[in-house]
Amino acid sequence: MSEARMTALRLENLTRRFKSGEETLEILSGASFSLYPGEIVALVAPSGTGKSTLLHLAGLLEAPTEGTVYIGEKPVSGLSDTVRTAVRRDQIGFVYQFHHLLGEFTACENVMLPQLVAGVSAKAAKVRAEDLLGRFGLSHRLNSLPGRLSGGEQQRTAIARALANRPKLLLADEPTGNLDIATSDHVFDELLRVVREEGVAALIATHNKELAARMDRTVTLRDGKLVPF
Ligand SMILES: Nc1ncnc2c1ncn2[C@@H]1O[C@H](COP(=O)(O)OP(=O)(O)OP(=O)(O)O)[C@@H](O)[C@H]1O
Ligand SMILES: [Mg+2]
């Protein structure tokens, strides 16, 4: 396979059904999508159409009812919990709308933790955490607990944490969705800059069409399938 055709993420015919009582709800119906290395794609679709569901499948947090998730050309969605956890840890960064930082650890420690879990030495993890947080304009907040950070600072720390292990793939579910417009704009500038610097492929769900326009292309969900916006 030529380098140009490699994908960072490939979704093949994903279907996701939820059972609620007697009824079965089909949210995704054969969704397929390719994300190429270094590409940043926006996912813009109305509430309830399945953006979070899709990101959870792509991030190996949930299993599809049918179909396959490929990370770096490897089919991984059907593998064991242990393998999927390892793939998630080493190759995927995930950012949620609400930061989910660990409140009892400093910003720097929060960015160090996933590296320590992956076996990086404390010294190297600290260097990487300080570098990343510095690039998000947080050099003066390294030792602050999350509760002492502003909303924008918390989200920038969460993005730095998602990038800590140099993933090939960043998945973000409305990463600035709980911030005011000015803060959201600023955090997004930094997210896009650092993601491009790191060369990470990213799929980012957002309701904000102006933010989406700053990415390489936009896809939407229609009838449970991913289509160009
Ligand atoms: N675990 C579940 N069990 C049953 N239904 C679910 C489950 N998870 C999601 N759904 C349903 O699937 C649909 C899609 O939900 P999802 O959260 O993926 O939408 P979304 O596009 O992310 O919406 P929003 O923009 O509001 O975040 C919704 O109708 C939701 O109720
Ligand atoms: Mg959602």
Side-chain angles (χ1 to χ4, degrees):
M1 190 174 285
S2 72
E3 184 72 17
R5 301 199 130 255
M6 293 279 283
T7 52
L9 167 71
R10 188 154 68 85
L11 308 178
E12 191 178 80
N13 271 316
L14 291 190
T15 296
R16 181 69 164 113
R17 294 187 203 99
F18 295 109
K19 280 218 166 64
S20 75
E22 296 284 278
E23 285 186 36
T24 301
L25 203 62
E26 184 164 295
I27 300 305
L28 301 174
S29 313
S32 294
F33 173 70
S34 290
L35 180 71
Y36 296 95
E39 196 181 30
I40 306 179
V41 174
L43 173 57
V44 178
S47 180
T49 51
K51 299 182 297 297
S52 296
T53 302
L54 184 97
L55 288 170
H56 290 164
L57 297 184
L60 310 179
L61 297 163
E62 285 174 38
T65 312
E66 287 163 23
T68 311
V69 176
Y70 297 79
I71 305 288
E73 301 294 341
K74 289 196 187 68
V76 287
S77 50
L79 301 178
S80 70
D81 267 3
T82 319
V83 176
R84 282 187 284 119
T85 301
V87 172
R88 240 183 4 247
R89 183 191 65 211
D90 298 336
Q91 303 190 42
I92 304 175
F94 208 104
V95 186
Y96 297 87
Q97 180 169 348
F98 185 72
H99 59 79
H100 293 299
L101 294 168
L102 297 173
E104 64 274 36
F105 293 99
T106 66
C108 186
E109 288 164 347
N110 266 281
V111 182
M112 287 173 69
L113 276 167
Q115 303 178 74
L116 300 178
V117 171
V120 176
S121 73
K123 196 173 166 193
K126 189 156 186 274
V127 169
R128 171 76 173 156
E130 289 180 355
D131 171 60
L132 268 175
L133 288 167
R135 285 152 67 197
F136 278 100
L138 292 172
S139 292
H140 59 306
R141 290 283 179 267
L142 296 176
N143 298 316
S144 301
L145 294 173
R148 295 292 174 90
L149 300 174
S150 71
E153 288 171 339
Q154 290 170 341
Q155 274 318 76
R156 283 184 274 161
T157 304
I159 299 164
R161 178 182 58 179
L163 294 170
N165 281 336
R166 302 177 199 279
K168 293 187 182 70
L169 174 64
L170 182 78
L171 300 168
D173 196 357
E174 302 188 46
T176 62
N178 69 345
L179 305 175
D180 64 69
I181 290 173
T183 309
S184 164
D185 237 42
H186 181 58
V187 170
F188 230 86
D189 278 342
E190 291 181 334
L191 183 152
L192 291 178
R193 178 173 49 76
V194 179
V195 163
R196 289 200 197 282
E197 284 168 9
E198 295 272 312
V200 184
L203 179 60
I204 303 175
T206 176
H207 277 117
N208 186 326
K209 295 201 177 100
E210 281 166 27
L211 295 181
R214 287 153 65 184
M215 297 184 227
D216 298 327
R217 61 186 165 105
T218 302
V219 293
T220 188
L221 280 163
R222 192 169 303 137
D223 303 325
K225 293 184 173 57
L226 279 161
V227 295
F229 189 76

